[in-house]
Amino acid sequence: MRKPLLTHEIGSLAKPNWRVKALRNLPLTDQDLEEARAWARRLDLEQDAEELFALLEKREGFTREEKRTLVAWASRFAVRLLEKAGLDVVYDGEQHRVEMYEYPIRRIQGFEFRGHVRSFDNKYYRKAAVVEKPSVTQPYHLEEYQTIARYATRPVKIPITGAYTLVDWSFDEYYLQRTPIGTAEGLRLRKEARRTFLRDVAREVIYPNLKALVEAGADFLQIDEPAATTHPDEVPDFVQATIDSVGDLKGRVTFGMHICFSDYSLLMPHLRELEGVIHEMHFEYANRDSREPGVSPEVRVGYTKTLNLLKDTRFIVGLGVLDVHTNFIEPVELIRDRILYALDVIQDPERIYVAPDCGLRTRTWDVAFAKLRNMVEAVEQVKAKQGL
Amino acid sequence: MDVFVSLNGMYSRGEALIQATRDFDRNRITQEELERAYETDYRALQTLQEGAALVSDGLLNWQDLVRPFAELTGAQPGPLTRYFETNTFYRRLEFPQSLIWGKIAPWAERYFRFGTMAFLPSPYTFTRMAEGLSLEGAAALLREVVGHLLTRGYHTFSFQEPFAVYEGNEQALRAMASAFTALRDAAPQARFILTFYFGDAAPLLPAAWDLPVDAVGVDLTFTDVAQLDVPQGRGLMLGIVDTTNSLLETPEVVREALAIVRSKNPAFLILSGSADFFFLPRDVADAKYRFLREIANR
């Protein structure tokens, strides 16, 4: 997709209370129902949503089919929210998914959950182990795409968790079997096992999913790889896994990649092997930037180093301009200056897509909407200023 | 040769304790109920280690390797920082200009519930996980803690040193010479182990053996045992089960490494995890610990 300063979001949005509670079999309150009506009004969906309101009146005991209907409505609300904010490309903020690890792992053959492990403090996540060669019998984002495409009035982007992140966040009880520990041979076999695991997830899981989406008409796919820099010496393997994941789909649609909260310099120079495979390389910037307006490197401290890594590449720069970890609503002027600064470095407005740093799921819809509206307004101001 | 088995650093919380900590954070249970959940889990850990000479409370209530020291010293927990190449995080401590600490005994009652073996940050790793803390300061603080724990019957101290080995930083070991001398002076009879994980220990061993430690701990997911030199009279703590992966080891996968190690005649051997066990769900961690007991008894 070539459009100067194209705007999109990165993935997740918060899920409405009525969707969360209904799926968890918790009773809905008057406040939950009012929330649904209020957002329907704001999103001009009030008339269409009568079916939803009638269903929500049931309050509890939703059937499986009714839950699917509620998910579809949450999806439609989220898509409309992004359209109302004025984004060029939209998604549904993961309304169909639990989150980015457990959701795909449950749908891939060859994994079993082993239990909770600690991430930090009292935060935990359920971790799975690969127990046989992974495969997919049914592409797991296809229905989501088809649902969204039915009611989206703007181009749709579908994010998918990448092979490297799925592998890195999982245990290996299959490829490492019988690998001796503490010997030179064992150490060599460990590396080999890891590469085979990665290759299989890329080719047998991610590629078929991407292929199904491309064949269904999706034309913008985003591969999420938050774990990309976790093991610096494995960056070449991460790059190869991405090449394997895209395979012969290269060039057929727009591929984006999202990595965040990392030391991006660790990706270089290997990342450049993805030029021509991945079009947009989206990183987080606003999180490490100042809140002062201005277009000098001294003020735009969150942007200089990372933009310099990308400026001489062929990647479209996915520019994070909204900090997703704060309710601070970035003023239009601040976002405008972040874009202007990036333009000054990159020099080509078609090589910049504008987006939040990451998914906005930790913000309320009110905050997310306000941030995104300002982002779109800032892009309009930049375009006007630059005569684009 | 004496062969022991031990936990390594922070142990996995049981599923019931995990749920209790979550419930407590969401104000769904009281402090007393949370404490009861801890007690139940501590008892389970005691049962697991029944009959072992080296017993630890698994640091179940530690948030990370340094956070309890914030409570003791007034240091402030900083932003989340990735814990090496894992999907876990810790908070770097920010120490005030002058290092002072409160009463050790009540603090240690909370953070060292029972056991004979204590896990502490090694001085260099402590300074790398904190701002404004010198090696001398770290050593002075650790010396107080070790001194107190000796009075409670602890006799083995594992100083966790992932940073030096991850960085391949031999100089860091040389810089710890006076820190370890100070620690040793406080506990001449205790067993000291300098425990490396997340890196190949072999290149650092010559410098490590220059320190007044009785043993070095090595992570066999990174280290080829054939490359280890063990001076006479020193022991090894072998991280021979992979605590970053749930695959259960079999006697076959550890046989060759054990044979090589025995041929080096260490003064004693401690069989343990490659790193902290908390990277594993509790059931898996328990199974790996039981496997260690099995092979130690053979």
Side-chain angles (χ1 to χ4, degrees), chain A residues 86-253:
Chain A
L87 299 187
D88 294 314
V89 177
V90 297
Y91 172 55
D92 76 350
E94 293 185 349
Q95 300 303 319
H96 286 80
R97 311 181 188 186
V98 183
E99 43 67 87
M100 65 178 298
Y101 175 71
E102 199 169 324
Y103 182 89
I105 289 292
R106 285 196 180 283
R107 288 158 178 79
I108 301 169
Q109 283 71 53
F111 285 86
E112 289 176 5
F113 280 93
R114 287 287 172 259
H116 287 96
V117 293
R118 209 157 16 145
S119 176
F120 63 95
D121 295 355
N122 294 334
K123 306 292 183 206
Y124 312 85
Y125 69 102
R126 282 165 62 85
K127 192 162 175 172
V130 65
V131 295
E132 61 184 60
K133 187 175 177 178
S135 61
V136 282
T137 48
Q138 186 110 27
Y140 46 75
H141 293 320
L142 193 56
E143 186 187 338
E144 174 191 67
Y145 167 69
Q146 288 166 335
T147 306
I148 295 170
R150 269 205 301 276
Y151 43 68
T153 60
R154 300 200 175 189
V156 173
K157 180 191 71 177
I158 299 292
I160 179 169
T161 308
Y164 188 83
T165 295
L166 291 177
V167 166
D168 193 57
W169 290 0
S170 300
F171 294 125
D172 175 2
E173 296 181 10
Y174 175 65
Y175 298 92
L176 275 173
Q177 280 180 33
R178 292 181 287 281
T179 302
I181 192 163
T183 66
E185 176 68 355
L187 295 171
R188 186 187 67 74
L189 288 172
R190 290 177 79 83
K191 289 189 175 166
E192 202 174 290
R194 176 90 164 172
R195 286 197 187 103
T196 310
F197 184 11
L198 248 181
R199 187 198 60 206
D200 285 351
V201 173
R203 292 182 183 176
E204 309 298 330
V205 175
I206 306 302
Y207 173 75
N209 270 290
L210 294 175
K211 188 165 187 274
L213 288 164
V214 170
E215 286 172 353
D219 52 11
F220 190 173
L221 301 170
Q222 173 183 294
I223 301 173
D224 292 333
E225 287 284 20
T229 62
T230 307
H231 306 276
D233 66 337
E234 288 184 353
V235 168
D237 302 325
F238 148 71
V239 167
Q240 185 57 50
T242 306
I243 292 169
D244 289 344
S245 298
V246 173
D248 60 2
L249 304 172
K250 173 180 155 181
R252 287 179 60 184
V253 298

Side-chain angles (χ1 to χ4, degrees), chain B residues 164-198:
Chain B
V165 70
Y166 182 77
E167 296 166 352
N169 190 344
E170 192 181 341
Q171 188 50 41
L173 300 189
R174 307 255 178 241
M176 282 197 292
S178 57
F180 266 97
T181 302
L183 285 165
R184 176 52 86 191
D185 287 348
Q189 304 302 320
R191 183 188 286 137
F192 278 4
I193 306 160
L194 181 64
T195 303
F196 295 126
Y197 48 92
F198 296 146

Side-chain angles (χ1 to χ4, degrees), chain B residues 102-144:
Chain B
K103 288 183 178 168
I104 300 287
W107 173 83
E109 288 290 332
R110 276 195 299 282
Y111 289 108
F112 298 86
R113 299 291 181 107
F114 60 85
T116 57
M117 183 177 191
F119 295 92
L120 293 161
S122 164
Y124 178 67
T125 278
F126 204 165
T127 61
R128 294 287 280 107
M129 295 176 78
E131 297 281 350
L133 180 68
S134 66
L135 277 176
E136 293 72 26
L141 181 53
L142 293 168
R143 189 184 149 106
E144 289 292 315

Side-chain angles (χ1 to χ4, degrees), chain A residues 321-364:
Chain A
V321 296
L322 304 177
D323 184 349
V324 300
H325 290 138
T326 168
N327 285 338
F328 170 67
I329 309 294
E330 289 84 351
V332 173
E333 296 71 26
L334 172 60
I335 304 170
R336 177 199 65 200
D337 288 354
R338 286 172 172 167
I339 299 167
L340 284 171
Y341 179 71
L343 257 178
D344 191 44
V345 177
I346 302 299
Q347 292 287 311
D348 177 358
E350 286 201 354
R351 269 197 61 209
I352 296 176
Y353 287 178
V354 180
D357 268 355
C358 190
L360 282 157
R361 74 186 165 92
T362 58
R363 300 303 106 199
T364 63

Side-chain angles (χ1 to χ4, degrees), chain A residues 118-124, chain B residues 8-11 13 38 57-71 75-84 86 88-95 107 111-112 119-122 125-126 128-130 160 162-163 197-198 276 278-279:
Chain A
R118 209 157 16 145
S119 176
F120 63 95
D121 295 355
N122 294 334
K123 306 292 183 206
Y124 312 85
Chain B
N8 191 358
M10 290 167 61
Y11 201 71
R13 291 173 175 170
Y38 269 114
D57 70 356
L59 290 67
L60 292 182
N61 63 349
W62 291 43
Q63 299 92 335
D64 55 51
L65 186 57
V66 294
R67 191 90 59 82
F69 292 93
E71 199 177 307
Q76 292 299 309
L80 284 177
T81 308
R82 188 179 287 279
Y83 192 53
F84 298 92
T86 71
T88 60
F89 301 84
Y90 69 96
R91 293 190 188 277
R92 265 172 86 85
L93 296 187
E94 291 160 7
F95 275 83
W107 173 83
Y111 289 108
F112 298 86
F119 295 92
L120 293 161
S122 164
T125 278
F126 204 165
R128 294 287 280 107
M129 295 176 78
Q160 309 294 91
F163 270 94
Y197 48 92
F198 296 146
D276 303 78
F278 83 92
F279 300 109

